[in-house]
Amino acid sequence: SFDLLDEQDIIQAKKTTENIDEILKRIREISFDLMPTSLLRKGLVPALNEFITYLDDSHIKFVAELEDIDKLSENKSIHLYRIVQEVIHNSIKHSKATEFKVQLSSKKKHIWLTLSDNGVGFDTKKASEAIGFGLRGMSSRAEMIGGKMYLESVKGKGTSYQFEIPV
């Protein structure tokens, strides 16, 4: 009798399986980035909850305080969702935070979205071009839906983004 799989075949099969797993993970990430179906079907709050649950296996503890916002246009929902994605991805990548908080509420005909972490923070005045570009992008998104972005970051204490969007 002879072995059907030699050691090289087993190593190759294992590498192939790992590559397939990595590709499937990347496909899930890309589909989330494109447009979560729950955002269009159920609205912003369920989509944010789903996104945060999806990220829950990262090294950051996520806290969500999301008030259900009525009658939010699809356009505003999409922009707010994208802002949350951008800030969270940046925080995971750069902040070294252990906790990230997402708060969504409405007060006085405005929606308030606050995103904060307890990470290393950064000097907003000396932000590099790459950070500056990302900040301008988020600020532009807020402006496209009639809103404003406020940023506060303290070195060693974390970063907080607040978005004020008219209803």
Side-chain angles (χ1 to χ4, degrees), residues 59-60 87-96:
H59 60 283
I60 297 177
V87 173
I88 287 177
H89 283 302
N90 288 346
S91 184
I92 289 171
K93 212 183 221 177
H94 305 291
S95 77
K96 299 184 176 124

Side-chain angles (χ1 to χ4, degrees), residues 1-166:
S1 89
F2 59 91
D3 286 333
L4 290 174
L5 296 175
D6 66 6
E7 199 172 327
Q8 282 302 109
D9 291 339
I10 292 169
I11 290 168
Q12 192 59 49
K14 189 174 181 196
K15 280 183 183 174
T16 302
T17 302
E18 287 169 2
N19 285 340
I20 290 170
D21 288 344
E22 190 59 36
I23 289 167
L24 289 172
K25 181 180 177 218
R26 191 68 193 117
I27 288 170
R28 278 195 303 276
E29 289 170 1
I30 290 168
S31 65
F32 246 114
D33 287 345
L34 288 174
M35 186 63 60
T37 51
S38 61
L39 180 59
L40 302 176
R41 279 198 335 262
K42 300 176 196 164
L44 181 62
V45 171
L48 288 176
N49 277 320
E50 193 176 289
F51 181 57
I52 289 164
T53 301
Y54 169 76
L55 293 170
D56 228 15
D57 63 352
S58 70
H59 60 283
I60 297 177
K61 177 186 176 211
F62 288 91
V63 177
E65 297 170 2
L66 308 174
E67 183 185 308
D68 212 1
I69 308 292
D70 293 331
K71 297 181 182 84
L72 190 59
S73 75
E74 189 176 287
N75 187 42
K76 285 183 180 177
S77 293
I78 291 168
H79 281 291
L80 288 171
Y81 185 85
R82 292 281 180 251
I83 286 168
V84 171
Q85 277 185 312
E86 176 79 16
V87 173
I88 287 177
H89 283 302
N90 288 346
S91 184
I92 289 171
K93 212 183 221 177
H94 305 291
S95 77
K96 299 184 176 124
T98 57
E99 187 170 298
F100 190 98
K101 190 180 273 190
V102 180
Q103 296 166 293
L104 183 70
S105 61
S106 62
K107 291 177 210 130
K108 299 178 186 168
K109 298 186 181 180
H110 284 85
I111 294 166
W112 291 90
L113 172 64
T114 304
L115 307 164
S116 52
D117 69 43
N118 66 349
V120 296
F122 62 94
D123 186 338
T124 56
K125 288 173 181 55
K126 293 180 184 171
S128 71
E129 270 305 304
I131 292 172
F133 181 72
L135 292 176
R136 281 194 299 278
M138 285 183 276
S139 183
S140 294
R141 270 195 189 277
E143 287 169 14
M144 284 159 62
I145 52 177
K148 295 177 185 146
M149 177 179 100
Y150 307 97
L151 170 66
E152 187 181 333
S153 188
V154 178
K155 274 193 161 286
K157 300 232 192 246
T159 303
S160 177
Y161 299 82
Q162 193 165 55
F163 297 88
E164 177 187 13
I165 311 296

